[in-house]
Amino acid sequence: MVLEATMICVDNSEWTRNGDYSPNRFQAQQDAVSLICGSKTQANPENTVGILTMAGKGVRVLVTPTSDLGKILGCMHGLEIGGEMNMTSGIQVAQLALKHRQNKKQNQRIIVFAGSPVTYDKKVLEMIGKKLKKNSVSLDVISFGEDDNGKPEKLEALVNSVNTSDSSHIVHVPPGSNALSDVLLSTPIFTEDGEGGSGFAAAAAAASGGAGGYDFGVDPNLDPELALALRVSMEEERARQEAAAKKAAEDGSKQEKGPEQSSSSKDIPMTDASLSSTQEIDKGVEPMDEETALLQQAIAMSMSESQPGQSSGGMADNEMPDAITVDQDLAHALQMSVSNDNKKDLSADVNKVVGDQSFLSSVIASLPGVDPNDPSVKDLLASMEESKGKENDKKSEGDDGDKQ
Amino acid sequence: MSTAIHRNQVDLVNFIDFTEVECLNYVVGSHPLSNALKQVFRDDEDLYLQSDADEQLLMYIPFMQVVKLYSIVIFGSEEDGPRTVKLFVNKEHMGFSNVNDYPASASIDLSSENLKGEPIILKYVKFQNVRSLTIFIEDNQGGTEETKVQKIILNGTTVDTTNMKDLKKIEEH
């Protein structure tokens, strides 16, 4: 229920004779204007709508903002097509008409139909946009028909310079079998003002489309809840598909960086808490051989078992998806788990990992700040050697421990 | 200046009709006029009124009753605080396009002392019957695109209330 005064700028230039929108650009536009007027006046009883034409002998205000729908629709008849569209003066005249609206509490909005090419410089349009913004006027642009000379960019620049908190919109409508007004129904120009607008839009769609024209084959008048549910569902699905497409594109670009990104779906029973940090390692290690996979399991456990203070450094490092750094981090995490000698089951698990003596010694040698000849390290290695071959089912316990 | 606030004068913030207050060209959402005008918000350093498209700001401040305005204090920084400020009395629904159509009741060039809290004394005769005040900030100190206003204080007396108080005092005697 937005209280609004709207000025609609109609494009009646020679360009609108083209028949690429059915029945032709101008009549498609007229339909859309009638629809917008109906929607606006229904959204709030105090809303007013005015109409002006931008082409012809000059900008002509057909009707100043009024809530009388008959007056608005009546003035649309017998309009003559001719001349070139004068968009900048059209917008400025519209602003002037809005400024002198009777109810100053109404928000101001200008809706511009642009079917002909835009000859103005981008800077000029942005300047006008800023002026509208300064006077807190919102602007909707419906761009259809010609799109030469960077028209979409220019109009987008115009709308962007006006836009504050997403109140201004631009819609590009390509020519096609769909009526201009039908396309607009699902755009923010109709749906932004909440229930009232969209309800009207749904009703109008039902009325204009006929039985075959319903979305999903459901009459929104008969079962509005079902229709809404279907619509919401479709929007969600669209959002999901967009996200999936985006992700696929991102993955595609990442793949070039290194083979470690190739698998992201390897499943290891982990808790949610540790999942995010371990997944990175997960990806990194998978393509390597089996022993590193084992190592990686041990790290995952050590990270969740060790004290938060100890683990934080390791976790942060482990965020790096790079294969080389992951190796170092493995060692780092391993070191932490080894030094945490009161965790018996853990060392038993690590034991499996350190079965490969040569690998372990190379890992320890590569550790920063760890002397492989250090007696305590030697001690530990010896103790691991002893316990090697003990029970293996500790692993499952370790996994349980992760869940804490 | 101790003489800026006379004995009967009060901060008029309680007499502003906030439901009718309007502001043009502010950053919608984050920096509204209430940040500079409302009692608690205006004392918060982090809350300020900021211009959006360019450096100009236009505020319309109606009062709930007729007031006499004596002085105005505008707080701002030396870089982006307002400089040229024009005040209009009882002009409703002005826009940027017609700020030059009317003679301003006061046109003030703010100094850095003014922005730190020194009140601007207004011409006595021109602010006697004020129902609404329109403040037009034309430019700012640094010539930048953004003007920030930290705090606005309007000092004056309310015409009706003062009379009522006087009457009561007489009755008490």
Side-chain angles (χ1 to χ4, degrees):
Chain A
M1 291 281 279
V2 185
L3 183 54
E4 227 172 33
T6 310
M7 274 305 283
I8 301 178
C9 302
V10 177
D11 181 3
N12 62 333
S13 64
E14 297 284 359
W15 296 92
T16 57
R17 286 189 200 277
N18 197 325
D20 52 357
Y21 296 77
S22 60
N24 65 38
R25 284 182 188 174
F26 188 68
Q27 293 207 340
Q29 195 184 170
Q30 273 189 329
D31 284 348
V33 169
S34 318
L35 210 60
I36 290 176
C37 294
S39 163
K40 292 285 178 199
T41 47
Q42 279 205 1
N44 190 316
E46 285 189 65
N47 275 3
T48 55
V49 183
I51 293 178
L52 61 80
T53 54
M54 294 186 286
K57 280 175 190 163
V59 176
R60 195 157 67 96
V61 178
L62 301 176
V63 54
T64 51
T66 170
S67 52
D68 183 352
L69 192 60
K71 211 171 164 186
I72 303 165
L73 298 179
C75 76
M76 288 293 289
H77 292 291
L79 276 183
E80 283 179 13
I81 297 177
E84 292 281 320
M85 178 177 80
N86 194 351
M87 193 174 184
T88 48
S89 32
I91 292 176
Q92 280 166 314
V93 169
Q95 198 213 322
L96 208 61
L98 286 175
K99 206 183 115 191
H100 294 287
R101 66 198 185 283
Q102 290 193 318
N103 182 356
K104 301 286 183 190
K105 283 225 166 105
Q106 292 168 322
N107 294 327
Q108 305 167 76
R109 177 176 298 279
I110 298 175
I111 299 179
V112 176
F113 283 86
S116 37
V118 177
T119 50
Y120 303 98
D121 206 32
K122 201 168 158 182
K123 287 226 172 88
V124 178
L125 292 176
E126 279 177 335
M127 213 179 70
I128 288 180
K130 276 204 161 182
K131 202 176 153 200
L132 291 184
K133 186 186 192 178
K134 201 173 157 186
N135 289 287
S136 59
V137 182
S138 305
L139 176 75
D140 287 338
V141 176
I142 296 147
S143 163
F144 66 107
E146 307 298 316
D147 53 1
D148 304 339
N149 282 331
K151 180 183 166 193
E153 291 80 45
K154 281 179 185 172
L155 292 179
E156 257 160 44
L158 170 67
V159 171
N160 285 338
S161 60
V162 183
N163 199 5
T164 44
S165 60
D166 223 17
S167 63
S168 302
H169 313 94
I170 181 162
V171 183
H172 300 281
V173 186
S177 55
N178 285 337
L180 182 60
S181 49
D182 287 357
V183 178
L184 292 181
L185 277 176
S186 57
T187 62
I189 293 175
F190 276 92
T191 52
E192 63 151 354
D193 46 352
E195 295 272 313
S198 58
F200 176 85
S208 64
Y214 301 135
D215 287 345
F216 330 109
V218 174
D219 186 348
N221 283 331
L222 293 178
D223 198 345
E225 283 177 7
L226 178 61
L228 183 67
L230 286 168
R231 198 172 132 190
V232 169
S233 158
M234 198 174 81
E235 276 166 14
E236 278 174 359
E237 172 65 9
R238 203 177 290 153
R240 196 192 62 79
Q241 281 175 351
E242 266 172 31
K246 207 175 163 189
K247 198 173 174 236
E250 274 174 11
D251 282 355
S253 62
K254 269 187 190 168
Q255 220 140 31
E256 290 159 18
K257 290 179 192 165
E260 73 269 17
Q261 296 291 337
S262 57
S263 77
S264 56
S265 60
K266 191 189 174 213
D267 206 6
I268 283 185
M270 287 284 158
T271 61
D272 284 350
S274 59
L275 195 63
S276 57
S277 58
T278 52
Q279 243 174 5
E280 294 287 348
I281 313 166
D282 206 10
K283 291 180 200 164
V285 183
E286 213 263 340
M288 299 181 198
D289 52 2
E290 210 173 338
E291 66 175 28
T292 40
L294 281 170
L295 237 186
Q296 186 258 317
Q297 279 180 350
I299 287 133
M301 289 197 305
S302 73
M303 290 203 344
S304 53
E305 294 255 358
S306 53
Q307 301 301 315
Q310 287 174 303
S311 64
S312 60
M315 300 259 266
D317 285 348
N318 276 326
E319 300 285 321
M320 282 182 250
D322 208 42
I324 303 151
T325 53
V326 163
D327 235 5
Q328 283 180 356
D329 295 334
L330 291 183
H332 187 53
L334 184 60
Q335 177 212 2
M336 288 198 308
S337 65
V338 167
S339 64
N340 204 354
D341 49 6
N342 58 349
K343 298 266 191 269
K344 289 246 171 73
D345 55 354
L346 184 66
S347 56
D349 244 336
V350 170
N351 187 25
K352 283 189 296 179
V353 175
V354 299
D356 188 345
Q357 197 70 71
S358 60
F359 176 77
L360 186 68
S361 50
S362 74
V363 162
I364 289 179
S366 72
L367 288 178
V370 173
D371 183 3
N373 298 324
D374 188 38
S376 65
V377 172
K378 276 184 174 172
D379 218 29
L380 201 66
L381 285 176
S383 72
M384 283 172 180
E385 201 67 38
E386 277 167 26
S387 57
K388 182 183 179 183
K390 272 188 182 175
E391 76 279 287
N392 281 338
D393 53 353
K394 289 283 182 185
K395 182 189 170 292
S396 59
E397 278 184 37
D399 286 341
D400 288 344
D402 284 337
K403 289 182 181 136
Q404 287 159 9
Chain B
M1 276 172 86
S2 55
T3 53
I5 299 177
H6 292 293
R7 207 155 40 86
N8 288 332
Q9 284 177 32
V10 289
D11 186 345
L12 291 173
V13 67
N14 290 325
F15 300 99
I16 294 174
D17 185 359
F18 278 103
T19 57
E20 300 285 321
V21 164
E22 284 172 23
C23 185
L24 283 180
N25 199 28
Y26 67 96
V27 179
V28 179
S30 50
H31 303 292
L33 175 59
S34 56
N35 279 355
L37 210 57
K38 277 198 174 174
Q39 212 145 29
V40 180
F41 297 156
R42 66 178 182 181
D43 293 324
D44 191 331
E45 288 278 316
D46 297 328
L47 295 176
Y48 49 85
L49 165 68
Q50 187 182 326
S51 66
D52 193 9
D54 59 11
E55 74 280 6
Q56 300 191 332
L57 278 165
L58 192 65
M59 299 159 234
Y60 169 71
I61 304 168
F63 297 98
M64 288 186 280
Q65 61 190 86
V66 178
V67 298
K68 294 173 191 241
L69 210 56
Y70 287 96
S71 66
I72 178 171
V73 194
I74 298 176
F75 287 80
S77 74
E78 277 187 44
E79 299 85 53
D80 40 26
R83 195 174 67 187
T84 313
V85 175
K86 288 179 178 168
L87 303 180
F88 300 87
V89 171
N90 302 340
K91 291 273 180 292
E92 295 187 348
H93 306 300
M94 285 180 67
F96 286 105
S97 48
N98 57 2
V99 283
N100 294 322
D101 295 357
Y102 313 107
S105 304
S107 185
I108 310 155
D109 229 356
L110 292 182
S111 65
S112 54
E113 284 77 33
N114 290 138
L115 290 174
K116 284 183 190 120
E118 191 187 308
I120 302 127
I121 312 295
L122 301 170
K123 219 168 200 169
Y124 183 76
V125 288
K126 289 201 171 172
F127 294 89
Q128 287 300 295
N129 188 22
V130 182
R131 290 184 306 278
S132 71
L133 180 72
T134 304
I135 306 176
F136 171 51
I137 295 176
E138 196 165 0
D139 53 12
N140 61 23
Q141 300 282 339
T144 54
E145 286 281 282
E146 283 175 358
T147 304
K148 290 177 186 171
V149 181
Q150 180 61 50
K151 186 175 177 181
I152 297 173
I153 302 175
L154 304 168
N155 291 316
T157 53
T158 55
V159 173
D160 292 338
T161 327
T162 42
N163 288 347
M164 292 296 285
K165 273 179 185 167
D166 289 347
L167 281 173
K168 269 182 192 170
K169 273 178 187 168
I170 294 162
E171 278 169 16
E172 278 166 14
H173 280 297

